[in-house]
């Protein structure tokens, strides 16, 4: 039994056919969307942060503190690609910025607010 396990282990190490995708780029033939969410400046030392969703339009921004408590929710009737968000009332800390597009795609970025 030990010899059989040893043979199987060696075959996985020396024959990558068993341990890797043998179809090459078959999974990469589908067109991939380039969805990027940028939140800057990060860390934020001023009271404004810019949120850029690239090619998608922003429909909703939800800001939560590190414990998951929602501290801001902003919905936009006129979606835009890039928005400046005021952070006057947020104390220093780590936040999660969740952005939802008009096509209901959601991305999350970490934001550090540090005004010292």
């Amino acid at each position: 039994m030990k010899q059989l396990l040893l043979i199987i282990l060696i075959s996985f190490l020396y024959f990558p056919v068993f341990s890797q995708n043998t179809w090459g780029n078959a999974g990469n033939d589908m067109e991939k969307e380039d969805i990027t969410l940028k939140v800057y400046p990060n860390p934020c030392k001023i009271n404004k942060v810019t949120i850029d969703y690239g090619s998608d339009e922003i429909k909703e921004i939800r800001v939560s503190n590190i414990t998951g408590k929602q501290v801001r929710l902003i919905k936009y009737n006129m979606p835009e690609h890039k928005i400046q968000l005021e952070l006057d009332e947020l104390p220093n800390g780590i936040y999660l910025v969740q952005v939802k597009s008009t096509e209901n795609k959601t991305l999350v970025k970490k934001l550090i607010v540090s005004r010292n």
Side-chain angles (χ1 to χ4, degrees), residues 12 28 31 74 80 101 104:
F12 277 109
N28 295 333
E31 186 177 323
I74 305 150
E80 295 185 29
S101 74
N104 287 327

Side-chain angles (χ1 to χ4, degrees), residues 60-94:
E60 177 181 292
I61 298 174
R62 184 180 310 254
V63 180
S64 304
N65 62 17
I66 198 67
T67 63
K69 180 181 176 188
Q70 179 179 307
V71 293
R72 295 232 10 223
L73 174 64
I74 305 150
K75 295 185 179 188
Y76 296 95
N77 293 330
M78 301 286 290
E80 295 185 29
H81 296 284
K82 188 185 288 188
I83 293 174
Q84 277 204 337
L85 186 64
E86 296 286 332
L87 303 175
D88 295 336
E89 75 282 353
L90 293 182
N92 290 346
I94 300 173

Side-chain angles (χ1 to χ4, degrees), residues 27-107:
N28 295 333
D29 290 340
M30 296 189 318
E31 186 177 323
K32 291 185 179 179
E33 296 181 39
D34 185 24
I35 301 172
T36 58
L37 174 62
K38 297 176 187 170
V39 179
Y40 57 90
N42 196 2
C44 182
K45 297 186 182 293
I46 56 175
N47 288 332
K48 290 183 186 177
V49 68
T50 302
I51 299 173
D52 185 355
Y53 205 167
S55 61
D56 285 352
E57 292 182 324
I58 299 170
K59 175 172 85 171
E60 177 181 292
I61 298 174
R62 184 180 310 254
V63 180
S64 304
N65 62 17
I66 198 67
T67 63
K69 180 181 176 188
Q70 179 179 307
V71 293
R72 295 232 10 223
L73 174 64
I74 305 150
K75 295 185 179 188
Y76 296 95
N77 293 330
M78 301 286 290
E80 295 185 29
H81 296 284
K82 188 185 288 188
I83 293 174
Q84 277 204 337
L85 186 64
E86 296 286 332
L87 303 175
D88 295 336
E89 75 282 353
L90 293 182
N92 290 346
I94 300 173
Y95 297 90
L96 298 175
V97 178
Q98 179 180 357
V99 179
K100 184 184 279 189
S101 74
T102 52
E103 297 180 12
N104 287 327
K105 297 175 189 172
T106 303
L107 288 179

